[in-house]
Amino acid sequence: MRRLIFSLGLLLGACAPMAPENVSRAASAATVAPDVSPPLGSRFGAPQPVAPRAANTAIARDFLDLAFSLESGRALPVLTRFEGPVTLRVAKGAPPSLAPDLARLLRRLREEAGIDITEVDGSAANITLVPVPRRSIRRELPQAACFVVPGVSSWAEFRRAQRAGKTSWTDVRERRTAAVFLPVDAAPQELRDCLHEEIAQALGPLNDLYRLGESVFNDDNIHTVLTGYDMLVLRAFYDPALRSGMDRAEVAAVLPTLLARLNPAGETMPDRHLPATSRPWIEAIQTALGSDGSLDLRRAAAEDALRLARAEGWRDHRLGFAHFALGRLLSGSDPDAAEAEFRAARRVFAALPDARLHEAYAAAQLAALALRMGRPEDALELTLSQEPVARRHENAALLASLMTLRAEALRATNRGAEADAVRLDSLGWARYGFGPDWDGGADLRRIAALDPAQGS
């Protein structure tokens, strides 16, 4: 499932830990006329997935942990997948933005993962996308934005199966049907993100691993569009050398030859030997970025996550993510300390081969703080260098936030015409990233992170 804990908490919120849109809304409200109505979401160009930058030995370990465990940690006895061509249908009620995003995703799955998947009309398909109100999803899974269930094709079937205790992936031996439940009233980007993660899970891995850097199969939700790594995992999942019903040992015996064939470059990559993520660290980071508990409690949890990461000797993105989480929780009360944490996070991310998007998030937070501290030139440098990263990873919400921060920095350096042009260009991305009813707000500048007078 896609966790709201992270997907709503990672965008810019330098004032309040869970307010990603405040920066964008406030900055654009200042100078953009209310009758400006750019089209819903600008379109990204051709996908730009990056080939996996990991050793095949590491990918094999990841594959086994992804394929033979659930997110809860419960083991799965056998590999399961759809055997033969896969059909997908969309139930009634889907918003207009879904169709082009779905077509783009299915094309990538066919071309990059080699999966024979086709959208069909009618009342039957292997995978059914079911739009439902967000409140219905929240009633079932309070911290999920969307989820996938085996053996059903509708909300009514899901409710009946749930009451009968027949919704467990541990009982599946071969995938035949599954339903992906999507929030019909979500912002277009959130809906697209759900398509990527939940269709990928309907097809392949059911687990998430924090140790994965450049992957949607990671509960930090930094990546929300399937990456080159993810497509390799899915291609391996549907390789003829594997089949439903194989146990972990059988799959492990096949993977070295399979991955050498699919990913020759991975044969010469060094294995970083990233250790498993401890349960105490997971619980600490979930508390830190959650919406429950006081700010003091969440700040203490972030400090625990950082302490645990250091104690484990981690030098990967998990250490940077702990710094990032603590920085977010310090932004409202102690900007100097927050800046130190974001800088530490960025140093960690910059040293890694697969953390460019992580680095962009840290840079965005640093840019927001630079504006608060009266350093617009620093904000300009930080935002301009990261906008191509947001584009490449198709993150409209992050891109709109970066552009809005850049517009504020331009205005602060007396470049008003440039600021207005950048702000106007950001609106289409913002409406895709934050929702079509996004209008910039009227007086949100007073509560935005860009206002240095605001506390947490």
Side-chain angles (χ1 to χ4, degrees):
M1 69 183 71
R2 175 153 297 285
R3 305 281 179 144
L4 286 178
I5 289 175
F6 304 112
S7 61
L8 294 185
L10 289 177
L11 295 177
L12 293 180
C15 171
M18 297 295 288
E21 66 271 46
N22 283 356
V23 170
S24 294
R25 290 186 178 184
S28 55
T31 59
V32 176
D35 60 347
V36 172
S37 299
L40 170 61
S42 303
R43 294 297 174 193
F44 291 102
Q48 302 179 57
V50 176
R53 286 162 287 195
N56 281 342
T57 51
I59 296 173
R61 287 195 301 273
D62 296 341
F63 186 99
L64 293 171
D65 289 344
L66 287 168
F68 288 95
S69 295
L70 296 172
E71 291 181 46
S72 64
R74 189 174 181 182
L76 292 168
V78 296
L79 178 81
T80 64
R81 68 182 190 185
F82 293 101
E83 300 294 340
V86 181
T87 55
L88 178 146
R89 63 179 287 268
V90 182
K92 293 181 179 179
S97 71
L98 184 142
D101 283 337
L102 176 61
R104 183 181 178 92
L105 171 58
L106 295 182
R107 183 168 58 252
R108 287 193 62 200
L109 289 170
R110 289 190 292 267
E111 295 175 357
E112 298 174 38
I115 298 174
D116 185 359
I117 184 169
T118 307
E119 184 178 359
V120 298
D121 296 324
S123 58
N126 297 119
I127 301 173
T128 302
L129 306 184
V130 184
V132 295
R134 186 193 297 274
R135 64 179 180 276
S136 298
I137 294 175
R138 296 279 184 85
R139 280 199 295 266
E140 301 299 326
L141 295 168
Q143 293 181 348
C146 41
F147 61 99
V148 59
V149 177
V152 302
S153 299
S154 69
W155 186 258
E157 284 184 34
F158 160 62
R159 297 299 303 278
R160 289 195 296 271
Q162 186 184 44
R163 288 193 292 269
K166 297 180 179 180
T167 59
S168 174
W169 285 100
T170 59
D171 298 329
V172 177
R173 294 299 178 269
E174 178 183 329
R175 303 187 198 187
R176 299 183 186 277
T177 58
V180 172
F181 298 106
L182 304 166
V184 68
D185 43 357
Q189 179 168 310
E190 184 180 345
L191 189 63
R192 182 213 59 188
D193 295 350
C194 282
L195 288 177
H196 278 250
E197 180 166 347
E198 303 307 331
I199 290 177
Q201 288 200 320
L203 291 167
L206 296 165
N207 193 13
D208 283 335
L209 299 172
Y210 277 102
R211 73 171 182 261
L212 301 184
E214 204 164 26
S215 174
V216 302
F217 301 120
N218 185 329
D219 262 335
D220 67 12
N221 280 2
I222 290 288
H223 287 273
T224 56
V225 170
L226 288 168
T227 67
Y229 174 96
D230 299 328
M231 290 298 184
L232 174 63
V233 169
L234 289 170
R235 182 176 284 275
F237 228 90
Y238 281 82
D239 191 89
L242 301 180
R243 66 183 184 280
S244 294
M246 295 176 73
D247 64 25
R248 188 181 180 111
E250 291 172 321
V251 173
V254 171
L255 280 177
T257 302
L258 187 161
L259 289 173
R261 171 166 45 84
L262 295 183
N263 186 42
E267 292 295 288
T268 58
M269 291 276 188
D271 190 337
R272 296 164 62 194
H273 294 286
L274 297 183
T277 307
S278 65
R279 177 54 55 179
W281 186 88
I282 293 174
E283 292 173 353
I285 209 73
Q286 287 179 340
T287 299
L289 293 179
S291 56
D292 297 330
S294 67
L295 184 60
D296 287 342
L297 174 66
R298 286 181 284 140
R299 188 183 297 120
E303 291 169 348
D304 283 344
L306 182 56
R307 176 183 55 78
L308 290 166
R310 286 169 169 163
E312 292 283 352
W314 294 344
R315 293 295 181 267
D316 56 81
H317 56 277
R318 291 171 294 184
L319 173 63
F321 194 64
H323 280 293
F324 181 88
L326 181 56
R328 281 179 43 76
L329 292 166
L330 290 169
S331 292
S333 58
D334 192 341
D336 291 326
E339 185 175 36
E341 295 300 331
F342 290 133
R343 289 191 183 282
R346 193 182 183 200
R347 284 195 298 272
V348 173
F349 298 145
L352 300 173
D354 55 357
R356 298 292 69 75
L357 190 56
H358 294 73
E359 187 181 357
Y361 274 107
Q365 294 283 358
L366 286 168
L369 286 171
L371 283 173
R372 289 176 61 182
M373 296 175 179
R375 304 196 314 267
E377 293 291 351
D378 290 349
L380 277 176
E381 180 181 356
L382 286 161
T383 54
L384 193 58
S385 65
Q386 298 304 325
E387 286 177 23
V389 177
R391 289 179 187 273
R392 185 165 62 252
H393 291 90
E394 302 183 24
N395 193 321
L398 177 60
L399 177 58
S401 296
L402 287 166
M403 293 175 74
T404 302
L405 287 166
R406 180 158 63 94
E408 278 298 301
L410 287 167
R411 181 155 305 276
T413 53
N414 299 315
R415 295 155 71 179
E418 292 179 67
D420 290 343
V422 172
R423 188 172 289 111
L424 181 59
D425 287 346
S426 75
L427 288 182
W429 300 112
R431 287 176 175 166
Y432 180 82
F434 299 128
D437 58 347
W438 187 95
D439 62 5
D443 297 309
L444 284 174
R445 178 180 295 277
R446 294 195 304 272
I447 62 171
L450 301 181
D451 185 344
Q454 289 301 309
S456 169

